[in-house]
């Protein structure tokens, strides 16, 4: 019995001695691959700008970095709507819904109240993926009315909104103008969280 126990212990020691370094290295390589993939996915491929006014006051510019490597279809939709190259887009549209401590929402350039908008692919297009999270302020995400109902509407978070993960497609983040975003998040609103004075995108486009 004692001999059997000794043999088993010897086998276990050998397994730990030879297998553990390989397992550790394998886990390390896997972690590095995942980290590298996430970095590639989060790489900013396009920078869209919005020049924004609140009533008659020019508030400033927000620049949004887009994750085109990870979500090319969603990013191309947003980029094209920002330039207006398809004959329609975000210029002169409003942020129709602002909730303090949550988010600002815009992109409805057809009805202006959250019921309209359209994508460059047609009325709606499918969710492209949920690899990125609503993990803080300045996250750019697609607004929708359920699964696979992306159009042109989007929102930018003012705080972490983890409950939206896996329900809305995150495809970018604010890279400049966080102060402008936070200022917009405090404007006075009325019914349906609509700003009392229009918050308008007076110019939009893509930076080189």
């Amino acid at each position: 019995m004692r001999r059997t126990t000794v043999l088993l212990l010897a086998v276990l020691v050998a397994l730990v001695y030879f297998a553990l370094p390989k397992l550790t290295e394998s886990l390390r390589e896997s972690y590095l691959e995942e980290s590298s993939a996430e970095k590639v996915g989060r790489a900013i491929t396009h920078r869209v700008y919005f020049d924004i006014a609140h009533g008659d006051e020019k508030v400033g510019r927000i620049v949004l970095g887009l994750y085109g490597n990870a979500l090319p279809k969603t990013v191309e939709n947003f980029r094209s709507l920002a330039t207006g190259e398809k004959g329609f887009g975000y210029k002169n549209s409003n942020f129709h819904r602002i909730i303090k401590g949550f988010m600002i929402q815009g992109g409805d350039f057809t009805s202006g109240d959250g019921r309209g908008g359209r994508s460059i692919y047609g009325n709606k297009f499918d969710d492209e993926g949920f690899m990125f999270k609503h993990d803080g302020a300045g996250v750019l995400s697609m607004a929708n009315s359920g699964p696979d109902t992306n159009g042109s509407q989007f929102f930018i978070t003012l705080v972490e909104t983890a409950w939206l993960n896996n329900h809305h497609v995150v495809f970018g983040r604010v890279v400049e103008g966080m102060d402008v975003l936070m200022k917009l998040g405090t404007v006075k609103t009325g019914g349906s969280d609509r700003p009392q004075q229009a918050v308008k995108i007076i110019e939009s486009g893509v930076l080189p």
Side-chain angles (χ1 to χ4, degrees):
M1 183 73 175
R2 184 178 297 173
R3 185 179 178 184
T4 303
T5 302
V6 170
L7 285 172
L8 285 172
L9 285 172
V11 169
L12 286 172
V13 169
L15 284 172
V16 170
Y17 181 81
F18 290 107
L20 188 58
K22 291 181 179 180
L23 178 60
T24 302
E25 182 62 23
S26 175
L27 290 172
R28 179 176 175 275
E29 289 176 358
S30 176
Y31 172 77
L32 289 174
E33 286 176 3
E34 289 177 3
S35 297
S36 178
E38 183 175 356
K39 285 179 181 178
V40 170
R42 282 187 181 271
I44 291 170
T45 56
H46 305 81
R47 295 195 309 153
V48 162
Y49 70 88
F50 291 150
D51 291 334
I52 301 170
H54 178 215
D56 296 327
E57 176 193 0
K58 291 182 179 179
V59 181
R61 172 174 288 190
I62 293 176
V63 179
L64 299 151
L66 310 183
Y67 306 146
N69 290 331
L71 300 154
K73 187 172 184 178
T74 306
V75 164
E76 179 58 18
N77 180 64
F78 191 81
R79 185 202 67 77
S80 297
L81 292 173
T83 64
E85 62 195 58
K86 305 293 185 181
F88 54 91
Y90 295 136
K91 184 177 178 179
N92 293 322
S93 68
N94 293 339
F95 284 92
H96 62 274
R97 187 176 178 223
I98 294 180
I99 303 177
K100 186 177 181 180
F102 179 20
M103 60 87 200
I104 68 172
Q105 183 174 337
D108 179 0
F109 49 79
T110 59
S111 63
D113 58 5
R115 295 181 296 175
R118 60 184 170 121
S119 80
I120 64 170
Y121 310 113
N123 192 33
K124 304 292 182 184
F125 67 99
D126 290 350
D127 297 322
E128 196 171 10
F130 301 110
M131 60 278 289
F132 304 119
K133 307 303 180 185
H134 301 80
D135 55 6
V139 170
L140 174 64
S141 187
M142 291 299 293
N144 62 44
S145 56
D148 301 324
T149 57
N150 301 288
S152 57
Q153 291 190 49
F154 63 90
F155 62 92
I156 309 172
T157 61
L158 300 171
V159 294
E160 180 181 0
T161 56
W163 64 91
L164 300 179
N165 293 341
N166 302 314
H167 298 288
H168 295 265
V169 177
V170 172
F171 63 100
R173 68 180 185 273
V174 173
V175 293
E176 293 178 32
M178 188 65 78
D179 57 330
V180 176
L181 172 65
M182 291 305 176
K183 184 174 182 179
L184 295 177
T186 64
V187 303
K188 291 183 179 180
T189 57
S192 301
D193 303 305
R194 190 179 185 88
Q196 291 180 359
Q197 289 187 300
V199 176
K200 179 175 287 190
I201 298 171
I202 54 176
E203 290 291 344
S204 67
V206 176
L207 296 172

